[in-house]
Amino acid sequence: MTALRIRARDVLTEDQLIVVRERKRWKGIALIAHAWALIFSAIALVAVWPNPFTYLLAVAIIGSRQLGLSILMHDGAHGCLAADERINLSLSQWFCAYPVFAETRAYRRYHLRHHARTQQEDDPDLVLSAPFPITRMSYRRKFLRDITGQTGYQQRKAQLLNALGPAEWPLARRAAHFWGQLGPQFVTNAILFSLCAIVGVWWAYPLLWLVPLLTWMMVITRIRNIAEHAVVPDSSDPLRNTRTTRANVLERLFIAPYYVNYHLEHHLLFYVPCYNLPRVHRILSESPHVGRMEVQPSYLAVLRLATAKPDHEDRPGELVNSARRARAGAHIGADQTAGGF
């Protein structure tokens, strides 16, 4: 199957392209600062008013901002956080990727293949969308694994084992390989733990950093993956093999931060910074292409589409495709992906 192509100038004028392509460093820094401000505010909320409600609220807020950091890392992988690549990479690595145990350059190598081959048989992210639609019972099982930390644990375990290298390697080689794969990530997380300890809330690192990373971030990463490419109308049409999902205030706070819901616009113009995607959406909405665009009114609407398979066809424990599972595991270990953007 061969995907259709749409040129940027087929959908935007030259003047419009100049505007939406502009990368402003201060805007990238502002989004990163916003993510960390919400994270630290949520920690402060629990420290000042410790109770089950504030804790659960903080987990949801912090988990959504951890996804937000992954989204901003993704912007960095596209060179969109700053025009200067050294600054762009530094911002993406140290303030976005490393804290959530990711790596921008490895992600970039993998991710650009997804853009080149979206929804085709050799798309490395096809594993994320191919199994859908599924049954509601199947989704409930996935949600339970995500929210209880089982998915996050398995992903981090695979990542750690890959970083340690084969057991038959000499210790020095394994240590060097580990440092190359996860060293900066552990350093960054050690700094986070130290900051928490210095201000007297050492418990915030395990309870309000690792727990959201392994639970709520997994839940909303799956939802976002489903929304972007699952059950799309036409895998070969760039206006219909990728989906934009309208998001209200609560969805932007807890599920879809930093304009990640404008995924169709991102695939059409992947060099556009995330903060300019709403402008691209408005332009496209006034173009002749608007009737073809795959846009859904909410994340709930997308989940209904993705879980439309009748429950009597449910097959618990069934392997969708062992080859795809193997590829997914390899990506988690070797490329440290962020779940496909």
Side-chain angles (χ1 to χ4, degrees):
M1 191 190 321
T2 302
L4 301 174
R5 297 291 180 186
I6 292 182
R7 298 178 306 165
R9 287 169 180 80
D10 291 338
V11 292
L12 278 79
T13 66
E14 189 64 39
D15 289 341
Q16 290 170 333
L17 285 171
I18 291 171
V19 171
V20 300
R21 281 173 171 168
E22 187 176 10
R23 294 164 291 175
K24 294 184 178 179
R25 185 190 308 173
W26 72 266
K27 286 190 176 182
I29 293 174
L31 290 179
I32 294 170
H34 179 269
W36 284 106
L38 279 181
I39 289 166
F40 291 133
S41 296
I43 292 172
L45 176 69
V46 177
V48 175
W49 292 293
N51 62 68
F53 174 77
T54 57
Y55 177 72
L56 293 176
L57 178 62
V59 166
I61 290 174
I62 292 171
S64 74
R65 293 313 109 176
Q66 289 169 331
L67 175 59
L69 293 176
S70 296
I71 292 163
L72 296 174
M73 175 204 72
H74 162 262
D75 248 36
H78 284 285
C80 292
L81 288 178
D84 186 300
E85 174 55 17
R86 289 176 300 177
I87 296 173
N88 172 78
L89 187 60
S90 295
L91 289 172
S92 180
Q93 294 279 57
W94 290 100
F95 296 97
C96 303
Y98 291 157
V100 295
F101 295 95
E103 210 281 333
T104 304
R105 290 168 298 190
Y107 174 74
R108 176 185 284 161
R109 290 191 295 271
Y110 148 83
H111 180 65
L112 292 182
R113 297 199 303 271
H114 164 62
H115 273 276
R117 302 297 298 162
T118 304
Q119 289 297 101
Q120 306 309 295
E121 292 182 358
D122 53 348
D123 178 358
D125 275 351
L126 189 63
V127 64
L128 302 172
S129 59
F132 295 92
I134 59 174
T135 66
R136 291 186 181 183
M137 294 171 64
S138 177
Y139 178 74
R140 283 195 290 268
R141 289 193 299 271
K142 290 173 172 57
F143 176 86
L144 184 62
R145 290 197 297 270
D146 293 344
I147 199 65
T148 57
Q150 297 175 65
T151 304
Y153 168 75
Q154 292 297 333
Q155 288 189 4
R156 298 307 168 193
K157 178 182 175 182
Q159 187 180 26
L160 182 61
L161 290 176
N162 176 77
L164 289 171
E168 61 269 20
W169 282 3
L171 183 60
R173 183 179 178 186
R174 296 188 78 187
H177 187 262
F178 179 85
W179 177 258
Q181 292 290 307
L182 286 176
Q185 291 87 333
F186 272 83
V187 167
T188 307
N189 276 266
I191 292 171
L192 278 176
F193 175 78
S194 299
L195 288 174
C196 291
I198 288 170
V199 298
V201 292
W202 65 267
W203 46 265
Y205 179 78
L207 295 181
L208 288 172
W209 183 254
L210 294 184
V211 168
L213 189 70
L214 297 175
T215 58
W216 186 247
M217 182 182 169
M218 294 294 100
V219 171
I220 59 178
T221 295
R222 188 184 299 276
I223 292 173
R224 182 191 52 74
N225 284 334
I226 292 170
E228 289 174 354
H229 295 290
V231 290
V232 289
D234 187 343
S235 293
S236 64
D237 185 341
L239 288 172
R240 296 171 69 76
N241 67 8
T242 305
R243 177 183 292 110
T244 280
T245 306
R246 295 192 177 95
N248 60 34
V249 173
L250 290 178
E251 287 172 320
R252 292 197 298 272
L253 176 62
F254 292 113
I255 298 175
Y258 308 129
Y259 315 104
V260 72
N261 55 303
Y262 293 103
H263 201 60
L264 187 156
E265 292 77 10
H266 167 65
H267 265 256
L268 288 178
L269 303 165
F270 60 79
Y271 43 77
V272 169
C274 64
Y275 46 79
N276 284 337
L277 293 177
R279 184 194 293 263
V280 176
H281 179 75
R282 289 193 296 271
I283 294 171
L284 288 173
S285 297
E286 297 171 357
S287 76
H289 300 285
V290 64
R292 279 172 54 205
M293 292 168 59
E294 168 59 11
V295 179
Q296 289 295 324
S298 69
Y299 281 89
L300 183 59
V302 174
L303 286 177
R304 289 196 185 104
L305 289 174
T307 58
K309 192 174 182 179
D311 278 344
H312 71 264
E313 296 183 24
D314 188 57
R315 299 292 184 270
E318 182 178 60
L319 291 178
V320 175
N321 183 306
S322 58
R324 285 174 178 157
R325 295 259 178 136
R327 286 168 58 197
H331 290 153
I332 291 169
D335 290 338
Q336 300 176 9
T337 72
F341 285 92

